[in-house]
Amino acid sequence: MGSLRFRFSLPRPPKPPRGSTGATSFRLAAAAIGAGIGFAVGFSLESAADTSGSRRKPWSHASPIWASLSLADGPTGTSVEPRTGAAFPTVLDGGRRLTGIGLRKTSVLGLKNIDVYAFGVYADDSDMKGLREKYGTFSVSELEENKEFISDVLDQDLRMTVRLQIVYNRLSIGSVRNAFAKTVGSRMQKFSGSDNRELLQRFTSLFKDEYKLPRGSVIDLSREQGYVLQIRIGGKEVGEIQSKLLCKSVLDLYFGEDPFDKRAKEDIQSGLASILQERCD
């Protein structure tokens, strides 16, 4: 993912002189730097999202979900994003299976790389049979290279969930809201040819300032039957919007043509293909 570089630098904290006054000054300077980084992460997250995927390098190499499976948490187990340690259940909501995990990352002032959130993409096992007639004779390896297959998954009324797990402890809900306004807005423009401002505002307004996002917070973005996008923050439903365009635009961020994490997109497509093939055996 791309990032912005700014022509200014963070102030260096002064060396504290001996005595309590110097120590206080040092703590205040350090706090100011921390606040500056927090602001920069939000700004960089929002701006870098518009960078073309053809120029953006993948942030991380997400391990296949079977590479980090842990059975300690029960029969379904978990899959761990290796860079951040964020754990995702391999089965969600009874019938949604984890297809791949990835990482949303940005750069702050060109000085430091920040891991913003890890994500996992889930697909409903039974809904995948809707693609059986068209793709049932394809092998997993053939489906992994099939662009039309992933396009159909984005288009059709298949229940899916993208789970975001916050790993940066200074991320504000406002930064998430503004970033989605840019990224989802650009995808809606791509798919519909118009800005759809009212629909986009209905979506972003669900991310209210009252919600806090400490490290480990979970946001679920789910496409339910009838092209209903349901949003949950910390396990609490905060709203839903019926729109095929909005559902497709959100999912496209994670496994469309220009995804946030290209390696994760490959794993997700492989996972979807594996589910379809299993249902056809």
Side-chain angles (χ1 to χ4, degrees):
M1 184 189 70
S3 60
L4 295 179
R5 296 178 183 267
F6 300 86
R7 297 184 180 274
F8 58 83
S9 60
L10 294 172
R12 297 181 179 176
K15 295 182 179 179
R18 295 180 179 179
S20 59
T21 302
T24 300
S25 298
F26 180 77
R27 287 194 297 269
L28 290 174
I33 291 174
I37 291 177
F39 172 79
V41 168
F43 190 84
S44 181
L45 175 63
E46 296 155 21
S47 303
D50 291 334
T51 304
S52 170
S54 61
R55 297 189 296 272
R56 180 173 60 234
K57 295 181 179 180
W59 303 322
S60 69
H61 294 263
S63 298
I65 60 175
W66 55 86
S68 55
L69 182 65
S70 169
L71 297 180
D73 298 322
T76 60
T78 59
S79 181
V80 177
E81 197 290 308
R83 180 178 172 92
T84 63
F88 295 85
T90 55
V91 177
L92 193 67
D93 295 338
R96 297 185 199 194
R97 292 172 54 184
L98 184 62
T99 62
I101 54 180
L103 187 61
R104 179 84 158 98
K105 190 174 179 182
T106 191
S107 176
V108 179
L109 307 180
L111 301 175
K112 183 177 182 180
N113 289 324
I114 298 295
D115 301 329
V116 182
Y117 61 77
F119 63 86
V121 174
Y122 295 79
D124 186 271
D125 209 7
S126 60
D127 280 0
M128 288 301 295
K129 67 184 180 181
L131 300 177
R132 183 182 301 177
E133 182 177 351
K134 184 173 183 179
Y135 297 105
T137 60
F138 286 71
S139 68
V140 171
S141 60
E142 289 173 330
L143 290 175
E144 288 174 343
E145 304 297 327
N146 193 313
K147 293 183 178 180
E148 188 176 357
F149 169 60
I150 212 69
S151 178
D152 280 340
V153 174
L154 288 169
D155 269 328
Q156 295 199 25
D157 193 12
L158 311 176
R159 288 170 292 180
M160 302 188 72
T161 295
V162 180
R163 169 161 289 189
L164 318 181
Q165 187 173 153
I166 308 302
V167 296
Y168 181 66
N169 60 10
R170 290 179 180 171
L171 186 66
S172 70
I173 194 72
S175 294
V176 173
R177 180 173 59 239
N178 293 337
F180 276 142
K182 290 180 178 292
T183 56
V184 176
S186 68
R187 304 306 166 99
M188 293 172 70
Q189 175 76 35
K190 178 180 74 172
F191 292 130
S192 71
S194 58
D195 56 22
N196 297 275
R197 292 183 183 180
E198 182 180 352
L199 176 59
L200 181 61
Q201 197 279 329
R202 286 175 57 201
F203 169 61
T204 57
S205 66
L206 297 175
F207 297 87
K208 302 182 185 299
D209 290 336
E210 64 192 74
Y211 301 116
K212 307 303 178 185
L213 296 175
R215 181 181 175 88
S217 298
V218 171
I219 299 174
D220 287 332
L221 308 171
S222 298
R223 178 173 64 187
E224 303 297 339
Q225 285 186 330
Y227 297 102
V228 173
L229 183 69
Q230 182 186 89
I231 298 91
R232 291 178 177 268
I233 300 178
K236 176 184 177 181
E237 183 178 341
V238 300
E240 59 181 34
I241 300 172
Q242 195 282 326
S243 169
K244 180 178 180 179
L245 173 62
L246 180 59
C247 289
K248 182 177 181 179
S249 298
V250 169
L251 294 175
D252 187 75
L253 298 174
Y254 300 96
F255 59 94
E257 290 185 358
D258 184 18
F260 286 153
D261 185 331
K262 291 184 177 179
R263 174 58 70 89
K265 182 261 178 75
E266 295 173 1
D267 289 343
I268 292 163
Q269 184 161 352
S270 177
L272 290 167
S274 296
I275 292 175
L276 180 62
Q277 188 63 43
E278 289 173 7
R279 301 292 293 185
C280 296
D281 290 341

